[in-house]
Amino acid sequence: MSQVTNQNPEQDPQPDPVFTLHMAAMREMQEPRDGIAPTPVSYIIMCLLFVLGGGWYLGYYGGEWTANGLSERPIAGIPPAPPPQDPMVLGKEVFGACLQCHQESGLGVAGTYPPLAGSEYVLGDKRRLVAILLKGLNGEFVVKGNTYNSQMPAWEIREDEEIAAVLTYIRNSWGNKADAVSKDLVTAVRKETAGRGEWRAATLAEFAK
Amino acid sequence: MFIWSFALISGITMVWLLAWAIRRGEFQNMREGARMIFDDQEPAGLVTDHFPGEPR
Amino acid sequence: MIAQPLPPAIGPEFEARVEVDGSSRAVVVLFWGTSLLWLTVASLAGIISSIKLHSPDFLGGIEWLTFGRIRAVHWDTAIYGFGGLAASGTLLWLQARLCQVRLPYRNLLLVGGVVFNIGILLGVIGILMGQSTGVETLEFPLWAMPLLVVPYVFIVIANFTMYFKKVTKHTYVSQWYLMAVTVWFPILVLSAEACTNLGAVDGVAQAIANWWYGHNVVGLFATPTGIAAAYYLIPKVIGKPIHSYHLSLLGFWSNAIFYNWAGTHHLTGGPLPAWTITLGVVGSLMMFIPVITIGINHHMTMLGSFHLLKTSPTLRFAVMGSMVYTLSSFQGSLEALRSHQEVTHFTHYTIGHVHFGMYGFFAPLMFAMMYYGMPRLMDQEWSSARLIRIHFWCTLVGMLIYVFAMCYAGIRQGLMMNDPAVPFLNIVRFTIPYLGLRTLGGVILLSGTIAFLINFIRIITPHKYTWATPTLLDSERDWRKVVAKEKEQ
């Protein structure tokens, strides 16, 4: 607004009157504000509520206030066993680990990874199937008439329940239809094969006889 | 042992500092305190920042 | 360097202020300038790590730039390089101004500033070479740490020297915060290093020390400096004293009491005694008190002056910072709750929150400090209003995009992870577009930083940008004439 007057302040000793007035008005406006507005009661009540809430939370989730109390709520008696999970749901989750080789479609990769869909090993003897999964497989191997020659990792570290679930899942997906694999069977085969290394086509055939 | 003594020392220091601040009158005369950032050249009521080269 | 000789001043206070500013010029400009360089490095490193998350092959062949290293570089340069230097510069400038004493030990501080920079540089090289300690936020190899700690000791000494020599009678709120930072930060760093990398404790206690530190470095170092800046800038720019001085002191002390407890909420679900985590959660909840207190003060002070946002660059950044402080702190306190963490823990949500705080609150306040301080330190105007606008809008828009993308993706991600029916791969696929959005946000933020850097380089090199209309330095002189005129009459 006052571009001309302020352009060269040294030569223009007359300050813009509007400017002066404006300043005065602004100072006037400031008078009621002295920087010490009182602390409202509602504020104090709010603080108290927060402190109370915090205390309640501490008490509620304090665990046992011991070095070993890892659970924030004291556990009364033996915790109920978690409800059994649907093997198809759990199986699909576990199958995430097989995806990269056998593919989401269950068709594998031609020449490298054998298909699970329609495979005689998947749909056939359950004991043999569990054994393959637990110990892994290596060397030449024929599935649905095609020969494969690479390595399938062992899945021993997985829980029995997970192995049973993923096998049930592959036996009932992509058009496969067969009965479920039970957890007990996995436990049994795990015992039976303890201490063995990965399968070869020959050793597997021997085992499954 | 170390932790307890450390906690104790820091706790005592805190309380001592608070007492020191109160004795120095830091919690009195708040009106003046709130206004200490202003001076005779930049008094309360003066806006002290603008985009360069633009009308206010 | 001085663009125009100062007209004869009429008040001793003005002269004193000019002298104080002059004494801190070299040191503060060094700290602020290098902090901006580190911000650029941090942004670049951040963008690289961000790209790697949606395009894993990007720069995949270079071992120095693998995700584990470049991400550590990103965070450490952001917090120590940008945060440490910008906050220290702010601390020295504000403290000198508020105590009205000349900055002491200037040469020592200059050397300290250079050594601090070298320390960060070496630390970064160490991380890139694969020597990271693996302790989050303390990744710098141990041999680089003395180069960071010793200069900070200089800053602490200078800070207290100024305080004990101060001319002013009162201690302003900002000073409470600044002094507290210099007490807290050395204790934090030393105890955390002792408990983690130096191995004074082991096992779970290391994790506690690590997260106690990781949370506090933001909350007891960056945050108080940011709040100190807001407490100074907002009233100073609009020319109104702070809304309620009582509250500001209450805010300070409640902040001091509660923040320190909050760190362990990062370990929810970890193998810690449950009460340690609960204590962390309650500490975070209690932060509502100081945050609301500080919020009331900042926002009530601004009430009635929002029109000034149009004309003042400092105010824009300062108000953005103080508003985001309130919002991000609310978000953080809620985020600590166990029921909230069931969904958002270990998701992108946390990353969103960190950036909301650091780039929405802390960084803008440091920018505001520089926008206000640099012209007064250099006695020279910013060269371009347009670059300032670009910087502001890039910061705001980039930050919002980033935070929205991460928080939204994080919530959805957390909900899906809690649902066993959703395959993990689907969750990963779902987040990819949002990770891309994050890269976009990062690039926008970096563009803003570069605009600022250009302006910054121009203001520290001699130039003559004199404006036809009154600018901020002229306003001081105009005002002086008005007062002189009034006195004459």
Side-chain angles (χ1 to χ4, degrees), chain B:
Chain B
M1 191 55 224
F2 166 76
I3 291 186
W4 284 112
S5 42
F6 186 70
L8 208 64
I9 291 172
S10 14
I12 292 174
T13 323
M14 278 312 265
V15 175
W16 179 76
L17 275 176
L18 191 61
W20 172 81
I22 293 172
R23 251 185 292 122
R24 268 178 52 110
E26 291 294 355
F27 300 105
Q28 282 153 16
N29 219 342
M30 303 256 175
R31 185 182 310 245
E32 205 182 302
R35 286 171 169 267
M36 71 167 278
I37 53 172
F38 305 114
D39 56 30
D40 53 10
Q41 304 303 313
E42 286 180 354
L46 179 72
V47 176
T48 60
D49 189 59
H50 304 277
F51 273 104
E54 288 178 11
R56 282 178 250 165

Side-chain angles (χ1 to χ4, degrees), chain C residues 36-52 58-59 65 70-71 73-75 77-78 359 439 442-443 445-447 449-450 453:
Chain C
L36 287 184
L37 294 181
W38 284 116
L39 180 61
T40 317
V41 174
S43 306
L44 276 174
I47 291 171
I48 295 178
S49 359
S50 174
I51 295 178
K52 277 169 181 283
F58 179 70
L59 297 180
L65 299 181
I70 198 77
R71 199 213 78 103
V73 167
H74 163 60
W75 173 232
T77 47
Y359 224 114
T439 303
V443 171
L445 287 174
L446 179 63
S447 331
T449 308
I450 288 173
L453 205 57

Side-chain angles (χ1 to χ4, degrees), chain A residues 23 31 48 50 72 97 111 164 169 180 194 198:
Chain A
M23 285 299 176
E31 279 325 314
L48 282 179
F50 271 114
E72 68 269 14
Y169 174 75
E198 61 187 357

Side-chain angles (χ1 to χ4, degrees), chain C residues 19-63:
Chain C
E19 193 188 327
V20 167
D21 280 354
S23 74
S24 57
R25 173 181 304 143
V27 175
V28 176
V29 170
L30 171 74
F31 277 75
W32 280 349
T34 46
S35 81
L36 287 184
L37 294 181
W38 284 116
L39 180 61
T40 317
V41 174
S43 306
L44 276 174
I47 291 171
I48 295 178
S49 359
S50 174
I51 295 178
K52 277 169 181 283
L53 284 183
H54 52 79
S55 319
D57 294 335
F58 179 70
L59 297 180
I62 309 169
E63 74 189 79

